[in-house]
Amino acid sequence: MWRSWALAAAVLAASATALPDGLLDVTAAPYSVDPTGQADATAALQRAITDAHAQRAAVFFPAGRYLVSDTLQVELPNGDGMIMDTASVPARFIPNVLMGSTAALPRRPVLVLQANASGYDAAAAAPKAVVNVFQPEADINMNQVFRGIDIEVLEGNPMAVGVQFTGAQGSALQDVTITFAGASGFAGVAGGLGAGAGMGNVAVFGGDYGVYYNYIMQSPYITGLTLAGQRVSPVYFLTSGILSSTLTITAANISHAAAATGPAIDASGSAWAPLALVDSVLTTADASGNLTAVLSGSSVLVKNVYVSAGYGVLLAATNGRPAISLDVASAALVHEAVRGNTSDLSTDPANPFTADVAYVNGARQVGVQSDNVTAVAGVPAGAAAAFRAVHVGDEAT
């Protein structure tokens, strides 16, 4: 923490730069980044990001296409007296901010990972990011912002991650669309934003996963999420690192590919990763009934969620609990479904927080143990469009 507000004011005043509007335009000299997507801009963009941080300026991307061949490192340094508990320049007060222009909509700035880029192929030892927003100590990666810049990954990059971002306290990923061509793409967004950080108005098309949250700060939050065409699962959630509390997802529009090998939301990796899905839409073109909406090893809340025909299971069987099933031939509005995890809550069967509660289209589901939820009328089958119009944006714009 700052030891005095006077010191804070002095440090911020000293950060004034020769950039009067506080923006470093990547297309201006001396960087002169090519906005047509013809020349590799990786090195020039990296210099611009590094210099902007040194000058306490935001990196500004005019509309255009910016070809890259390697990871853009967006680092919040951990040296030179910039750790947050010193009296000089706490890390959280000198973040990187990368932002795209909205002046030429619908044209937007797009980072384009070239086809068959080095290190993104199937032989890669680990997934590799197009943009890596980080701090050496992930839990103090604060106030970092990436917004208004799209990412397109061309063919031949199956291990590509659009944005790798583990952050807290003021960090944000906003207004971003990530598109993978063909078989490219491991995940659109990886890492995890919580403890006062969040993700909003993000869309991912294609890839193995849309969101792959595998290192999370407490209480991660996602809103305005659009996912479609993922080959494994649209959302994967695993607690590691700092002990996590509930992942909350609201206003999500998830289109679950018929050929997907996993559930729409896979939170099965940890008994300490509760999930809340609220005011959202799950759809699939698969009519087999083999798809599962949510697989979780922890507590789950599903509230006011439209589920299209084609899903056989709302909540998969776990921890000795039977599955909560759906009529595969009919769409449904899940008014409320709650499952408590007996591995991290009381095992007393009289405790309502360990009971399964589910009302689907106004009907109490067989096998639930509590009457604490009042049934309400459901919506007609096939009403996804009307529900979206009220609750969910179809696509990040």
Side-chain angles (χ1 to χ4, degrees):
M1 296 295 292
W2 285 99
R3 295 177 185 170
S4 80
W5 289 111
L7 175 60
V11 170
L12 293 175
S15 69
T17 75
L19 301 171
D21 56 2
L23 300 178
L24 188 155
D25 184 337
V26 298
T27 63
Y31 310 101
S32 303
V33 173
D34 173 26
T36 70
Q38 300 301 306
D40 188 339
T42 309
L45 285 174
Q46 188 62 65
R47 286 196 303 272
I49 292 167
T50 302
D51 290 354
H53 181 262
Q55 297 181 67
R56 312 294 190 258
V59 186
F60 178 70
F61 289 72
R65 293 173 66 80
Y66 301 92
L67 186 68
V68 297
S69 57
D70 205 348
T71 303
L72 295 177
Q73 303 289 356
V74 185
E75 180 180 6
L76 187 58
N78 200 24
D80 300 325
M82 291 189 283
I83 298 175
M84 70 177 185
D85 60 354
T86 71
S88 55
V89 187
R92 59 180 170 178
F93 287 99
I94 53 166
N96 291 279
V97 175
L98 277 64
M99 58 185 292
S101 171
T102 59
L105 293 175
R107 291 183 64 241
R108 293 166 56 90
V110 184
L111 294 172
V112 181
L113 179 65
Q114 70 179 32
N116 304 303
S118 177
Y120 295 92
D121 57 282
K128 182 177 179 180
V130 178
V131 177
N132 182 27
V133 186
F134 74 103
Q135 207 275 345
E137 297 181 44
D139 57 331
I140 59 171
N141 192 27
M142 300 175 181
N143 295 321
Q144 304 258 69
V145 176
F146 185 89
R147 60 170 296 183
I149 303 168
D150 296 338
I151 296 173
E152 181 180 334
V153 176
L154 301 183
E155 293 272 11
N157 297 299
M159 293 298 283
V161 170
V163 180
Q164 174 76 37
F165 197 166
T166 298
Q169 293 189 26
S171 287
L173 180 66
Q174 301 172 330
D175 190 22
V176 174
T177 296
I178 300 167
T179 305
F180 295 107
S184 282
F186 176 78
V189 181
L193 291 158
M199 184 166 77
N201 200 27
V202 171
V204 181
F205 299 99
D208 290 339
Y209 301 92
V211 174
Y212 190 87
Y213 266 18
N214 62 330
Y215 187 101
I216 316 294
M217 303 297 105
Q218 300 92 332
S219 304
Y221 182 75
I222 302 172
T223 189
L225 181 66
T226 298
L227 302 174
Q230 280 72 49
R231 294 181 291 271
V232 181
S233 287
V235 177
Y236 177 81
F237 176 43
L238 169 68
T239 297
S240 64
I242 293 178
L243 180 65
S244 176
S245 52
T246 304
L247 168 63
T248 301
I249 302 174
T250 66
N253 185 11
I254 298 175
S255 179
H256 197 177
T261 58
I265 300 176
D266 184 351
S268 62
S270 174
W272 295 95
L275 170 73
L277 179 67
V278 180
D279 291 345
S280 295
V281 169
L282 298 178
T283 60
T284 182
D286 183 7
S288 69
N290 293 327
L291 289 181
T292 294
V294 177
L295 173 61
S296 175
S298 187
S299 302
V300 178
L301 166 68
V302 178
K303 186 176 179 67
N304 202 32
V305 173
Y306 178 93
V307 183
S308 75
Y311 282 97
V313 176
L314 175 65
L315 298 183
T318 184
N319 295 334
R321 304 280 181 80
I324 296 178
S325 300
L326 294 169
D327 179 357
V328 68
S330 301
L333 174 63
V334 179
H335 167 59
E336 189 160 30
V338 179
R339 167 164 288 165
N341 180 14
T342 55
S343 71
D344 61 355
L345 295 172
S346 169
T347 57
D348 179 359
N351 184 339
F353 292 102
T354 66
D356 289 352
V357 183
Y359 285 88
V360 178
N361 283 356
R364 181 181 171 190
Q365 300 301 289
V366 175
V368 300
Q369 305 167 23
S370 172
D371 293 312
N372 289 349
V373 180
T374 302
V376 298
V379 297
F387 186 78
R388 286 194 190 104
V390 176
H391 295 284
V392 181
D394 275 335
E395 181 175 323
T397 57

